[in-house]
Amino acid sequence: MYRSVRLLLESLFKEYRDIFKNLDEFDKLTFMKYATEKLSTEEVKKGLKILCDILSNYYKQQVIILIDEYDAPLTYAYGHRYYKEAVDFFKTLYGNVLKTNSNLKMGVLTGAIRVAQAGIFSDLNNLKVNTILNKAYDEYFGLTESEVEISLKEYNIEYKIDEVKNWYDGYKFGNAEVYNPWSILNYIDNKELKPYWVNTSGNILIKNLLLCSEGSVFEELDDLVKGKEKNIYINESVALGNNLESDNLWELMLFSGYLTIKEKISNEEYIVKIPNREIQSFFKNLFAEIVFKEKNNIANMKGALDNGNIRTVVRILENVVLNAMSFYDSSKKYENPYQTLLAGFLYALDDYYKMIPNVETGYGRADIILKPKNKNKTGYIFELKRAKTKDLEKEAERAFEQIEEKKYDTLLINDGVENIIKIGLVFDGKKAVAYY
């Protein structure tokens, strides 16, 4: 992180190399140092302020500082376990240039996730915050309908406006309804209606929250995909570190662009929905891609389920856990992340199976049931356990026996599914053992 910011500072100074010969001797020495030398951490923290002073001295004007995606290095640091160090660094960097700086006319910071509670702004005064919930600047977060109509007309595709609206409109920012600008520009270029945009800014946070959410979260996601709405509570400030809660999932999805406001109920409660067909089209696979990274696993899993190849099914699930858990403490931090992980992965099979987590059936609750859309296909029941002993095979057998004893197949039988495979699955860290 230090090296990246140092190289960025070096390139910023070099952008102003044309003014170097006209600087006074003191500024020349400072300029050369930042443009050519390896800097200490403390020198890097002062870099923006020093460049600001040099430019102000030369142009005899105050300087405007523009910082885009200010949240990106913080969320990246959060995902790679140096969040506290990043907060301390950027708090000083921003404080130096944005606080009590007589050479500063104005500073503008933009980002997808507001992390006010992170502490990086605690030393700054006179902050004016505008989010997608505010009316100020609401139409400037995207393209307005009139702007899109003019653009389509310019490229002789104005007759597509209804389809374009269906795909890329639907974002409600303040009082304005806007289109996704990136998607519109790509559509005009390619003349093809398809998904062009997916935001990655908040994905590592969403990934974290999925791991500490209940499996039922995927039922709510499924409802959203089907056009339903959801009431959520928003505090507009996501606290990173160890303070993230599963309720923050919906707020992060809203500010990351996966959901939009339909109606404001109160200052904290809102009704949200999926904004358009673009988001809807990749929503089912979104979490499989964010958390599990490998699209091929979805296709391979579908084939294995169709063929009843249980060894391949278990191998893929073990691989899913291996990939997704590599970032987290799979043994201590979460009570039972396995059901959530696998439910999220299997949710991406929605075109072929209905994934039902933690459902009442028979004499209890099955962890995960896969009900085939085609009743002639095989249905699956998974009972998941975290290993309590070293005899994983015996524990997996007991998990299988629980499916039998509590008649978890009742739901599938009542729905007319004749071929049913029952799998007891025990996890020990990132290792999985199955009995079927």
Side-chain angles (χ1 to χ4, degrees):
M1 180 190 71
Y2 296 143
R3 181 174 181 273
S4 295
V5 178
R6 178 176 61 78
L7 291 174
L8 177 60
L9 276 174
E10 181 181 314
S11 68
L12 279 174
F13 273 83
K14 287 179 178 177
E15 283 185 25
Y16 294 96
R17 59 168 63 90
D18 291 344
I19 72 172
F20 176 76
K21 62 183 179 181
N22 297 318
L23 298 177
D24 63 36
E25 292 304 312
F26 179 80
D27 281 348
K28 277 185 178 180
L29 289 174
T30 306
F31 192 100
M32 283 296 295
K33 182 179 183 65
Y34 275 86
T36 60
E37 296 182 17
K38 288 188 176 181
L39 306 169
S40 70
T41 301
E42 290 306 311
E43 288 171 327
V44 170
K45 290 178 181 178
K46 299 173 183 177
L48 279 180
K49 172 64 165 62
I50 288 172
L51 180 57
C52 182
D53 292 343
I54 291 174
L55 294 176
S56 184
N57 289 340
Y58 179 81
Y59 288 103
K60 308 304 180 185
Q61 297 182 58
Q62 289 181 309
V63 176
I64 294 175
I65 302 289
L66 305 176
I67 302 174
D68 190 24
E69 294 195 82
Y70 80 88
D71 56 324
L74 293 173
T75 54
Y76 187 88
Y78 176 77
H80 292 81
R81 298 178 180 271
Y82 62 93
Y83 177 72
K84 183 181 183 301
E85 292 88 342
V87 168
D88 292 342
F89 174 81
F90 284 104
K91 179 180 179 179
T92 305
L93 177 72
Y94 293 153
N96 284 335
V97 73
L98 300 176
K99 182 182 180 183
T100 61
N101 179 3
S102 61
N103 292 320
L104 179 71
K105 180 177 180 64
M106 176 176 60
V108 179
L109 296 88
T110 61
I113 309 299
R114 183 183 173 192
V115 284
Q117 294 180 26
I120 60 171
F121 300 138
S122 60
D123 287 345
L124 302 182
N125 302 319
N126 304 318
L127 278 178
K128 174 65 175 175
V129 179
N130 288 290
T131 74
I132 62 174
L133 303 178
N134 300 122
K135 297 175 184 178
Y137 311 108
D138 52 8
E139 64 181 327
Y140 301 109
F141 281 95
L143 298 178
T144 63
E145 185 154 21
S146 62
E147 289 169 334
V148 171
E149 289 175 349
I150 291 170
S151 301
L152 296 182
K153 187 175 182 179
E154 182 73 21
Y155 287 87
N156 299 314
I157 48 177
E158 66 269 22
Y159 63 92
K160 291 281 191 178
I161 184 63
D162 290 338
E163 294 176 65
V164 170
K165 183 178 181 66
N166 186 34
W167 268 87
Y168 309 119
D169 189 18
Y171 289 100
K172 182 73 176 296
F173 293 171
N175 285 335
E177 189 167 318
V178 297
Y179 289 72
N180 184 324
W182 176 254
S183 302
I184 293 297
L185 292 173
N186 277 277
Y187 169 70
I188 288 174
D189 187 30
N190 298 313
K191 310 294 191 298
E192 185 178 352
L193 292 163
K194 66 178 185 179
Y196 292 106
W197 175 89
V198 59
N199 181 25
T200 59
S201 296
N203 284 352
I204 200 158
L205 305 182
I206 291 172
K207 174 178 177 177
N208 187 317
L209 291 175
L210 278 171
L211 289 176
C212 58
S213 299
E214 296 179 355
S216 59
V217 70
F218 298 101
E219 294 183 46
E220 297 178 281
L221 293 175
D222 189 45
D223 286 341
L224 287 166
V225 169
K226 291 175 180 175
K228 295 183 180 179
E229 299 153 1
K230 178 176 175 57
N231 284 48
I232 67 171
Y233 290 87
I234 298 173
N235 64 23
E236 294 193 61
S237 296
V238 176
L240 302 186
N242 297 319
N243 299 317
L244 277 176
E245 299 177 357
S246 57
D247 288 345
N248 293 138
L249 174 65
W250 307 109
E251 181 175 345
L252 282 171
M253 288 174 61
L254 173 66
F255 283 96
S256 298
Y258 298 122
L259 297 173
T260 192
I261 299 289
K262 182 190 176 185
E263 183 181 343
K264 179 179 179 179
I265 304 299
S266 69
N267 287 334
E268 294 183 345
E269 185 180 4
Y270 295 81
I271 299 175
V272 297
K273 63 176 184 176
I274 292 179
N276 52 46
R277 190 172 171 186
E278 179 179 41
I279 303 299
Q280 189 177 46
S281 66
F282 61 65
F283 209 82
K284 294 176 185 177
N285 295 322
L286 174 66
F287 299 99
E289 292 178 31
I290 291 174
V291 180
F292 315 115
K293 297 179 183 177
E294 297 185 20
K295 290 183 180 179
N296 290 338
N297 275 338
I298 302 295
N300 293 339
M301 176 60 87
K302 196 262 179 184
L305 292 170
D306 280 349
N307 298 324
N309 188 339
I310 309 305
R311 287 186 178 180
T312 301
V313 169
V314 173
R315 178 181 58 77
I316 293 173
L317 294 181
E318 189 173 39
N319 191 39
V320 164
V321 170
L322 180 66
N323 286 337
M325 286 295 215
S326 61
F327 177 72
Y328 299 94
D329 182 343
S330 59
S331 61
K332 297 183 179 179
K333 190 171 182 180
Y334 302 104
E335 181 182 348
N336 184 13
Y338 300 107
Q339 181 182 9
T340 300
L341 277 173
L342 300 190
F345 173 72
L346 297 170
Y347 175 74
L349 295 165
D350 190 58
D351 288 338
Y352 314 101
Y353 295 88
K354 180 175 177 60
M355 189 282 302
I356 313 173
N358 197 31
V359 61
E360 286 189 15
T361 176
Y363 302 117
R365 286 183 175 272
D367 285 335
I368 295 176
I369 288 180
L370 284 182
K371 185 172 75 171
K373 297 288 180 74
N374 181 346
K375 293 181 181 179
N376 294 323
K377 298 285 187 179
T378 302
Y380 288 83
I381 303 172
F382 296 90
E383 184 63 26
L384 312 176
K385 301 292 184 184
R386 185 195 294 271
K388 295 181 179 178
T389 69
K390 293 183 179 180
D391 192 347
L392 271 62
E393 288 78 7
K394 188 66 176 177
E395 291 193 52
E397 183 178 356
R398 284 200 293 268
F400 172 83
E401 291 171 352
Q402 182 175 327
I403 298 174
E404 296 271 79
E405 292 170 1
K406 297 196 174 183
K407 299 188 181 299
Y408 288 161
D409 57 1
T410 302
L411 185 149
L412 292 176
I413 292 172
N414 290 343
D415 283 340
V417 178
E418 296 182 1
N419 299 317
I420 301 172
I421 292 179
K422 306 159 188 174
I423 304 175
L425 202 55
V426 173
F427 290 95
D428 184 9
K430 298 169 185 177
K431 179 182 178 182
V433 171
Y435 187 94
Y436 50 93

